[in-house]
Amino acid sequence: LYKAGEGRWGTDESKFNQILAARSFAHLRAVFDEYSKICKYDIEQSISREMSGDLKDGMLTIVKCVRDKTGYFAERLYKSMKGLGTDDRTLVRVVVTRCEVDMEQIKTKFLRTYYKSLSSFIKGDTSGDYRRVLMALVRAERDD
């Protein structure tokens, strides 16, 4: 990765794709640790310096998921509901895709990070059947 980015003029984006898309999370964590030892920037900083647009966003998303998958999804849920309005597309996509995978861990991470339960955020941003379905999918407690 260093030779494909910071170690040369220009960026070999295909090498980043090849490594980030094909290696296991454990392997990538080890690569990121080693990368920070040989480069004055960590992998996130290097990606931000070397890439732009959707490619940069995609690569940074992979790195975030590798470093802390539940943290990544807790952040996506938080951002989908914070402030005025709700990003329903993101909220539904994350809840539906994670509800049978790691929702309990995401709820715990959400609470530890934002000091409020995921279900309280859902209650505050949704209503009616939409709220009931989301609450059922996150398996919210009745008294949450």
Side-chain angles (χ1 to χ4, degrees), residues 14-137:
S14 66
K15 184 57 78 176
F16 277 81
N17 284 335
Q18 179 184 0
I19 293 170
L20 293 180
R23 304 290 198 255
S24 71
F25 278 22
H27 182 138
L28 288 173
R29 280 190 285 275
V31 168
F32 299 160
D33 289 344
E34 288 302 312
Y35 187 91
S36 65
K37 292 176 186 174
I38 63 169
C39 184
K40 62 182 177 178
Y41 305 105
D42 65 21
I43 191 69
E44 293 96 327
Q45 292 169 318
S46 289
I47 289 170
S48 293
R49 290 170 40 87
E50 297 287 327
M51 298 176 191
S52 62
D54 291 339
L55 178 62
K56 175 178 123 182
D57 293 343
M59 294 292 175
L60 288 173
T61 296
I62 291 170
V63 173
K64 284 181 182 180
C65 282
V66 167
R67 290 202 188 278
D68 182 8
K69 190 183 336 182
T70 57
Y72 170 76
F73 286 113
E75 178 185 20
R76 297 289 295 165
L77 288 166
Y78 174 77
K79 286 182 176 180
S80 76
M81 295 181 282
K82 76 171 185 157
L84 294 176
T86 304
D87 178 356
D88 292 304
R89 184 176 178 192
T90 299
L91 176 59
V92 169
R93 185 177 338 122
V94 173
V95 168
V96 168
T97 60
R98 308 313 299 180
C99 69
E100 293 182 346
V101 180
D102 53 2
M103 185 55 72
E104 291 303 315
Q105 294 91 340
I106 292 168
K107 286 168 32 180
T108 300
K109 184 69 171 191
F110 192 98
L111 181 62
R112 287 182 182 158
T113 304
Y114 303 108
Y115 306 106
K116 223 173 159 186
S117 70
L118 176 58
S119 58
S120 69
F121 260 72
I122 291 171
K123 282 180 182 177
D125 265 43
T126 62
S127 62
D129 290 340
Y130 180 48
R131 175 192 291 167
R132 281 189 286 283
V133 169
L134 289 172
M135 297 294 274
L137 290 171

